[in-house]
Amino acid sequence: MRIIVATALNKGAAEYKNMGDVAMLQVAVTRLITLWPAAQIEVLTESPSNLARYCPKTKPLPRAGCTCWVGDRILLGRYHHFLPQWGSVGLSKLKRFLGLQWPALLERLIHLRLSFRDGDGLREDFKAFLQALKNSDLLVVCGSGGFADSCREWNLSTLDTIEVALRRGIPVVMFGQGMGPLNDPVVLRRMKHVLPGVSMITLRGSRGGVPLLQSLGIHSAGLMTTGDEAVELAYQVRPEVLGNAVGINLRVASYSETKAETVEEVRFALQEFARRHSVPLLPIPIAFHEYANDHQTIRRLLTGFDDDSDGGLSLDSPLPLIKQTACCRIVVTGAYHAAVFALSQGIPVVCLSNSAYYLAKFEGLRDLFGEGCAIVTLGQPDLPGRLAAAIESAWNSAEIVRSSLLQSALRQVEDSWGAYRRLNKLLRSEAGQAHPIVSEKTLTGSTSYTQ
């Protein structure tokens, strides 16, 4: 059994810098290994050392090799930039057509191009990807919130990779996906063409995801809302009793549409509450990218309250971050996975949203977890007052909602595991043979994850 895993983890130096996406990858890989202990699992990556740190039982598969096949720039190299837009679009269509209709010809053209000039050392990466593709039994697209208007490049690259696999007769499944808001006509056309061939799609709960996919012709039998894979990782280390701290995070990035003045308003409300209740404010950073660096924003929120804090810079792995979350009674966050880590441990959250993208994420969480997941819209009048009231309400109701939050988390773990078990049956029916599978019992609490 040979499985290729494609992730939404960012490219280059930013790869493995979002602890929510890392957590989803860890859970997905662990489940696949549990179901197929003898399988070779290869993860598309540009950071083999980081992959080894977070998922040591996997094998790195150079993402650059995949990009040679599905990307547009390999045939013309640096001259690609000199093409007019119509020429670039035409080249992209031609390359995709060759890859689908005459893959052997495209393979020879790419090899010829790399034999002429290969300054980046892509030849071996390309060979490795082709070898994996020719011998793969399954392509798994790991969970993310990538199918949104802010992620066109990733959307198109992922769809091209899926189409290549489908054309070669390789089953494709997509786990833990966040869908929308998405209005990009180019991406929507590609999704409508490609995704109906995917055997199974599970959603992590973004509001509007199911109607979006159904509008694109995705058959409902292969479409399920199961929650986020990372729920299991957090649920397994849930505390016996609630903590006495407020976990904090605020996502400042172009796609969150959070303005600088908003940070000050949130800082005021958080610090006023913490001083009045004599409780600590604990950093819960998720993203460590240059363009979305949570620990720097958290340090701004702590200015004048805890000036010695590093903003959670040392919490660069999912488990320590989740264990820090377990020390909280409530979490106030503008980052989706900080809310997932809290809710899955029975800790209520106050979600901070200023964009349609994040509102859909948080409304999806509220649909799954119910009471205990409050949403405060930023950028509207009297933010400090509205936020203060929401924090106070969450704090006072924490013990009351804890049980229902944990029940919701357990249900999502079971639903998500059920989808993975369905994958075994799917492969059995499509391949005409059985693969090893564990018993049907829920494995909650039996799996360990890399620190």
Side-chain angles (χ1 to χ4, degrees), residues 21-39:
D21 289 340
V22 170
M24 295 188 78
L25 175 62
Q26 287 182 322
V27 173
V29 164
T30 301
R31 289 176 178 178
L32 293 172
I33 291 173
T34 302
L35 290 169
W36 293 282

Side-chain angles (χ1 to χ4, degrees), residues 253-275:
S254 59
Y255 53 85
S256 71
E257 301 177 21
T258 301
K259 298 183 169 124
E261 57 266 28
T262 302
V263 178
E264 293 306 307
E265 293 180 295
V266 174
R267 182 176 76 88
F268 174 82
L270 288 172
Q271 293 192 16
E272 192 278 333
F273 178 88
R275 289 191 175 98

